[in-house]
Amino acid sequence: MSITDRKKDHVRLCLDDQSAYKKSTGFEAWDLKHNALPEIDFNQVNPSAKLLGRTFGFPLFISSMTGGYSEAGAVNAVIASFCEKNNLPFGVGSQRVMLEKPEEESSFSLVRKYAPTAFIAANIGGSQLAEGLSDTRLRLLADSIRADAIIVHLNPLQELMQPEGDLTFAGILKAVESLVRRTDLPVIVKETGAGISGAVALRLYDAGVKVIDVAGAGGTSWSKVENLRTNTRSSLFDEWGIPTAVCLKEIDALNLPDLEMIASGGIRNVLDMVKAICLGAGFTATAQPVIQAIVEGGEDSLQNLYDGWYRDLCIAMCLLGASSVEDLKPSMLRLVKDN
Ligand SMILES: Cc1cc2nc3c(=O)[nH]c(=O)nc-3n(C[C@H](O)[C@H](O)[C@H](O)COP(=O)(O)O)c2cc1C
């Protein structure tokens, strides 16, 4: 199957309930402590947040999803226009297809037509990086969208579940370290839903990575997506992965100076966002709810979803007595069960 057809199938299958983990993110282990005396007025609540030195309207990154075929271009245009209007950062989907089919560039590059000033991240797989990505090709990917950052995605689970998967995993860390040295752009490393542990985060940090998106388990399961697509691999790995809350706790406990942590993987509402930030993330990200809203009703649906989340975050912050995102602290969480 061509990479283009595969990417189309991914969008379709991620809308199926069966592609979600049964395993939870782990956020239900905490309750948020109601503050009956918040001592802030609702209109003082400001949900803006910083990432990589830039201030955004809301602590939500629209995770990398698509590109590489014409309908993907339409999805990217909606995400770009929405992010431009609401001052949110986003990532395009894997640009690997551009390396194989340069004619597919337009489904990525059109984002700058709809988002001339938004923060946009390029995206490439760790395996492609380890196989060797020349400076010229790297520049081609980044320049096509005038990228503000480069995301490297780690997805060994997904590749191992794909009949046509790329099984080059040796050398990825070294390739990431070299990428950090040879580009002026910030490098963000993310998983795709199976999570980054504290131990892996430490190796990435030692390699020079200063932004990690944990993309933990509890949301989209890429083992399930691939099994729904081809039914050629064992379902034994469908629940494989580290819950998002566990990733956050492990990485936060390392106290790595200047590390920015993005919480993603199963972020499905504002309470997940707030708990993730209280657990040490500076920013959150989500993928599946965004593609679902776009498929259901285009940009209007996505804007409705966002407006609801915006209102909910302001309410949650007020009920916790937090006028800014930086005010969200671990002390606002109460452990209700061990995870
Ligand atoms: C349709 C779809 C396509 C995706 N494609 C990519 C991709 O090309 N590159 C990438 O880094 N992650 C990709 N992802 C993974 C997401 O960025 C995210 O890490 C993962 O889905 C977990 O987040 P969620 O539980 O909010 O969906 C994709 C996700 C979806 C739903």
Side-chain angles (χ1 to χ4, degrees), residues 80 84 111-118 120 146:
E84 181 78 18
V111 293
R112 277 298 173 203
K113 181 171 157 209
Y114 297 91
T117 66
I120 309 180
R146 281 193 282 117

Side-chain angles (χ1 to χ4, degrees), residues 161-335:
M161 293 300 126
Q162 270 181 15
E164 61 280 74
D166 186 341
L167 306 184
T168 307
F169 305 125
I172 294 180
L173 186 61
K174 223 166 141 216
V176 168
E177 187 171 20
S178 147
L179 178 69
V180 172
R181 264 189 274 110
R182 69 192 166 109
T183 175
D184 293 335
L185 293 172
V187 174
I188 302 172
V189 177
K190 75 186 276 287
E191 236 286 346
T192 56
I196 293 183
S197 65
V200 169
L202 188 55
R203 286 157 69 205
L204 290 167
Y205 182 81
D206 287 343
V209 175
K210 290 286 158 39
V211 188
I212 293 177
D213 176 346
V214 303
T220 308
S221 159
W222 282 93
S223 173
K224 289 190 175 179
V225 173
E226 295 300 348
N227 274 324
L228 284 169
R229 188 171 70 83
T230 64
N231 206 15
T232 57
R233 292 290 186 273
S234 162
S235 58
L236 186 65
F237 298 97
D238 282 1
E239 294 296 322
W240 183 277
I242 310 167
T244 300
V246 174
C247 299
L248 296 174
K249 266 180 72 180
E250 283 190 18
I251 300 174
D252 188 57
L254 298 170
N255 284 319
L256 300 172
D258 301 325
L259 179 77
E260 295 192 78
M261 183 160 62
I262 303 175
S264 79
I267 298 287
R268 296 294 178 262
N269 60 51
V270 154
L271 300 186
D272 293 338
M273 288 178 70
V274 172
K275 288 177 186 177
I277 295 169
C278 290
L279 286 169
F283 223 82
T284 68
T286 194
Q288 197 276 349
V290 171
I291 200 81
Q292 176 141 15
I294 294 173
V295 169
E296 281 169 6
E299 192 173 341
D300 287 348
S301 246
L302 183 55
Q303 189 64 48
N304 279 343
L305 175 76
Y306 175 70
D307 291 344
W309 282 32
Y310 190 96
R311 198 179 45 246
D312 286 349
L313 181 59
C314 293
I315 293 172
M317 285 171 65
C318 190
L319 290 173
L320 292 165
S323 59
S324 73
V325 168
E326 290 85 56
D327 289 343
L328 295 170
K329 295 281 182 268
S331 58
M332 294 172 174
L333 292 169
R334 188 168 54 89
L335 194 63

